[in-house]
Amino acid sequence: MSRWLAPLLPGPQHWVMHDRDAHLLDVAAAHLSSVAADGAAVTVETRHSDITRLEPGDLAGASLITASALLDLITGDELAGLAAVCAGAACPLLLTLSVVGQVSLIPRDPLDRRVADAFDAHQRRATERGRLLGPDAVGFAVEEFGRRGAEVLVRASPWRLGASDADLAAGWLIGWVDAACEQQPELAADTDAYRRRRLAQAGAGRLAVTVDHEDLLVLW
């Protein structure tokens, strides 16, 4: 988010990055743009923390809160807690790339639907933290933030991977099928040939993938 937004916004800017993965924090900080849209400086600090357990003081002074690929990976209780903290900060909140349970592959294959359904079930799986929101996250978030008096704008943000994205499409496909088989181990026997077939299509530039996501802008 910082690589994309920092060069589009005027400065000076100071980004505070939260993640419970210290390695990802290091990567994010190393690749941050150092110049804002108007040439002002961009600085960064990292905080090794769990974003679902933020306290009001963690957001003190914030003028924008943003996260990517987050909502579908947390529980309803975690989202409610995050909404409460962000409501206290009362600044714009941009949450991008939440899956909505729609995937399209061309050419089509008879196993596509089974894998997609198993993947969606994996996204909604029960964990020690509770049941993950998965494809239901956007609807839950709209209701939760709306209940707290916010205006919530939702826009489609699909991934479209074609011949020029063959490596990314292959990486996505492997993760997609692995998650489906983790949720439904009986799929493994059927998906071995499916995986090889789809990876060959991706490598030949003949696989097109659309993964639907939605972005939310929350305004107080």
Side-chain angles (χ1 to χ4, degrees), residues 14-31:
H14 181 67
W15 286 75
V16 181
M17 298 182 177
H18 294 263
D19 203 290
R20 58 189 179 190
D21 188 318
H23 172 68
L24 291 182
L25 284 173
D26 290 342
V27 171
H31 292 84

Side-chain angles (χ1 to χ4, degrees), residues 100-216:
V100 294
Q102 296 292 329
V103 173
S104 173
L105 295 89
I106 299 174
R108 301 189 186 282
D109 189 285
L111 272 178
D112 290 348
R113 187 69 263 162
R114 286 182 62 195
V115 175
D117 288 345
F119 177 83
D120 287 347
H122 184 268
Q123 290 287 93
R124 296 185 176 103
R125 69 190 181 278
T127 71
E128 61 183 13
R129 296 165 19 234
R131 187 169 296 279
L132 304 183
L133 290 171
D136 308 314
V138 170
F140 190 100
V142 170
E143 181 178 347
E144 185 65 29
F145 285 109
R147 186 174 63 82
R148 297 176 183 277
E151 177 186 5
V152 185
L153 306 178
V154 180
R155 297 291 185 269
S157 182
W159 280 359
R160 295 189 177 98
L161 308 178
S164 61
D165 311 297
D167 290 344
L168 181 56
W172 169 85
L173 179 81
I174 291 170
W176 189 59
V177 175
D178 284 351
C181 291
E182 181 180 316
Q183 183 67 24
Q184 295 183 13
E186 64 274 16
L187 269 178
D190 294 331
T191 54
D192 282 347
Y194 173 84
R195 188 197 309 258
R196 290 194 299 271
R197 187 163 62 247
R198 285 307 203 184
L199 288 176
Q201 291 168 344
R206 295 188 293 107
L207 181 65
V209 180
T210 300
V211 184
D212 286 343
H213 297 79
E214 289 183 338
D215 298 348
L216 283 72

Side-chain angles (χ1 to χ4, degrees), residues 28-54:
H31 292 84
L32 178 67
S33 172
S34 60
V35 180
D38 57 0
V42 177
T43 58
V44 61
E45 68 177 276
T46 59
R47 296 183 186 177
H48 190 200
S49 62
D50 187 338
I51 197 172
T52 65
R53 298 181 180 180
L54 294 178

